[in-house]
Amino acid sequence: TIGLERAALLSAGIVSLATTIRLRRMRSARVGSRLLEPPADVAALHRRLLHDPASEREIRLAAALRAIAANVTSDRDPEAEGDLPRIGVACLSHNGDVVVSLTAAADLSPPWVGSGREWSLPSDVPVDDIAEDSRRAGDPCHAFVSIGLTPEGDDLFVDLEAAGILHVGGAAESAANILRAIATSLSVAGHAEACHLIGGGSVAVDLGTPNSHVADSVDSGVELASGLVGGTRQQELTSFELRARRTGGDIWEPAVLLLDESLHDGNEGWPTDTAHLFAPAHGLALVTTRVPPGGDTRWSLEPDSDGWLLATTVGEFRVDPIGLEDTEATTLGALMETAARAPVQDELEWAAEDEPFEEPPHDIVVSLFGGGAVADRSGNTASFSRSKSVELLAWLVTHRDRSTRT
């Protein structure tokens, strides 16, 4: 697995969230307030995360997803039978190439290039060319998460709702690190406030975001996730189409449940309807090290002799997944807590009251505030024909101890 140093988009999201929290605190601070020095480990982690913010690439990807949603919904009758083609997996290169794998064949209009389920937006196509399409649709994927890097160094994204259930295999520690990274990526994403995140066991990540929840058992996690999505599961349309069409003016918040081995150990098992609850594209997603009985196992992230393989219903992808160790997650939490700390209000020392001010004897007053001005005691101002004269006067006034430069 790779660390935060190579996960530029995730690092940028973490820094952006910490900055937002800090600015919110500073805006409410009183005059004379100051921020406390952060702990050494928190400051060191923050420095490690200061990559290229990658904001342009994120904006490009978000616009591309909305443009696809507009394309696939524009000519389709909402009453038509069968599911709409949805976004399953996407790759984003450093140059801005966007390659998307859909769950069903579609016919996208230019500047998209491709056919069937595989489409790409070349890096030389400006975002303005897809802006009109992207404005016609809502954000369709609120559980869209960065998994890791492909062998070519591209960022690989998965729509967890399209998967329904994503099984993460491998050693327990590696799997837990991957689940923590997924939880963190969801917590700092631009749509974090439109996605409920429920962590159980050692992968419960709390960065202070309003939609973060902790489950102390498998049963409570499944029950909480089911309750948070409300009526989304009962809709005939997929959550992808509901958001793309902005149905009912709602954002149709999904819930993502993450469970690792630490919560499964000693637990009696899954609720009987778990596999049915986490059907793809209806508001719920499960990322787990154990698939519930009867659950769909077609989406998985497993290690093999060549590294890690993401197997999906839209294709197979080689990936070096992002991993976040428990100590790093703890430090990230401390980073957000530090950013949220109220500024310290220092005790201001006011000068003692002196004798009333008496203007000293003078013939000329030189004012350096604004554009600079010279006036005599009667208020008559002087004018200068050359700007250099004003500069020379300012020098003489501010260097009365030595009127020359040498």
Side-chain angles (χ1 to χ4, degrees), residues 237-362:
L237 298 180
T238 64
S239 52
F240 177 92
E241 188 170 357
L242 289 170
R243 296 189 199 107
R245 295 184 183 277
R246 299 189 176 101
T247 306
D250 200 340
I251 59 175
W252 306 99
E253 299 175 1
V256 180
L257 175 62
L258 300 101
L259 303 172
D260 74 338
E261 287 297 310
S262 65
L263 198 63
H264 285 294
D265 288 345
N267 195 278
E268 295 180 359
W270 297 90
T272 54
D273 60 344
T274 300
H276 173 70
L277 285 174
F278 290 93
H282 283 280
L284 285 172
L286 173 64
V287 185
T288 179
T289 55
R290 294 190 191 183
V291 178
D296 193 340
T297 59
R298 292 177 296 172
W299 289 69
S300 64
L301 181 60
E302 303 269 2
D304 59 19
S305 57
D306 296 323
W308 289 81
L309 179 68
L310 175 66
T312 74
T313 57
V314 301
E316 294 185 344
F317 307 85
R318 283 285 163 194
V319 62
D320 199 355
I322 306 170
L324 186 65
E325 296 182 358
D326 189 40
T327 53
E328 288 182 307
T330 301
T331 308
L332 280 180
L335 173 61
M336 300 307 165
E337 290 177 3
T338 301
R341 284 190 304 194
V344 176
Q345 183 71 38
D346 289 331
E347 203 62 43
L348 298 179
E349 296 183 3
W350 300 99
E353 292 188 10
D354 295 324
E355 295 295 327
F357 174 76
E358 292 185 5
E359 191 176 81
H362 65 277

Side-chain angles (χ1 to χ4, degrees), residues 29-244:
R30 298 172 58 191
V31 174
S33 299
R34 61 179 176 84
L35 294 174
L36 292 172
E37 286 291 327
D41 58 337
V42 171
L45 177 62
H46 188 262
R47 287 193 295 270
R48 284 170 49 200
L49 299 177
L50 293 176
H51 292 285
D52 171 16
S55 57
E56 289 187 8
R57 292 199 297 144
E58 289 183 292
I59 293 171
R60 182 179 181 82
L61 178 62
L65 299 184
R66 292 195 303 272
I68 290 176
N71 266 266
V72 298
T73 58
S74 59
D75 299 325
R76 178 183 170 92
D77 184 351
E79 303 297 328
E81 295 184 358
D83 288 344
L84 193 75
R86 306 184 306 276
I87 297 166
V89 177
C91 287
L92 176 64
S93 74
H94 284 285
N95 295 328
D97 293 297
V98 180
V99 181
V100 178
S101 300
L102 304 177
T103 58
D107 185 16
L108 304 186
S109 58
W112 290 96
V113 178
S115 62
R117 300 195 306 181
E118 298 291 326
W119 293 88
S120 64
L121 183 70
S123 58
D124 58 357
V125 176
V127 176
D128 290 347
D129 287 5
I130 60 172
E132 183 177 349
D133 280 345
S134 67
R135 284 194 293 267
R136 292 191 291 113
D139 186 355
C141 305
H142 288 170
F144 203 64
V145 64
S146 174
I147 294 291
L149 300 180
T150 66
E152 296 76 25
D154 300 339
D155 290 278
L156 184 68
F157 294 83
V158 171
D159 184 8
L160 297 177
E161 281 186 276
I165 299 175
L166 174 63
H167 173 247
V168 179
E173 183 178 354
S174 296
N177 291 345
I178 293 171
L179 263 67
R180 269 188 225 103
I182 291 175
T184 302
S185 183
L186 287 171
S187 295
V188 302
H191 43 66
E193 294 188 2
C195 177
H196 292 283
L197 174 64
I198 307 157
S202 65
V203 299
V205 174
D206 184 7
L207 300 184
T209 52
N211 286 343
S212 293
H213 312 271
V214 177
D216 56 9
S217 69
V218 174
D219 286 348
S220 65
V222 173
E223 181 180 0
L224 178 58
S226 177
L228 287 172
V229 297
T232 305
R233 292 190 300 108
Q234 282 72 44
Q235 300 294 320
E236 293 185 7
L237 298 180
T238 64
S239 52
F240 177 92
E241 188 170 357
L242 289 170
R243 296 189 199 107

Side-chain angles (χ1 to χ4, degrees), residues 385-398:
S385 59
R386 297 182 181 181
S387 60
K388 285 292 184 183
S389 299
V390 180
E391 294 179 16
L392 177 59
L393 180 62
W395 171 269
L396 292 173
V397 170
T398 55

Side-chain angles (χ1 to χ4, degrees), residues 19-34:
T19 302
T20 300
I21 294 173
R22 184 181 298 114
L23 288 176
R24 188 182 301 133
R25 272 296 190 183
M26 289 302 296
R27 289 192 189 103
S28 61
R30 298 172 58 191
V31 174
S33 299
R34 61 179 176 84

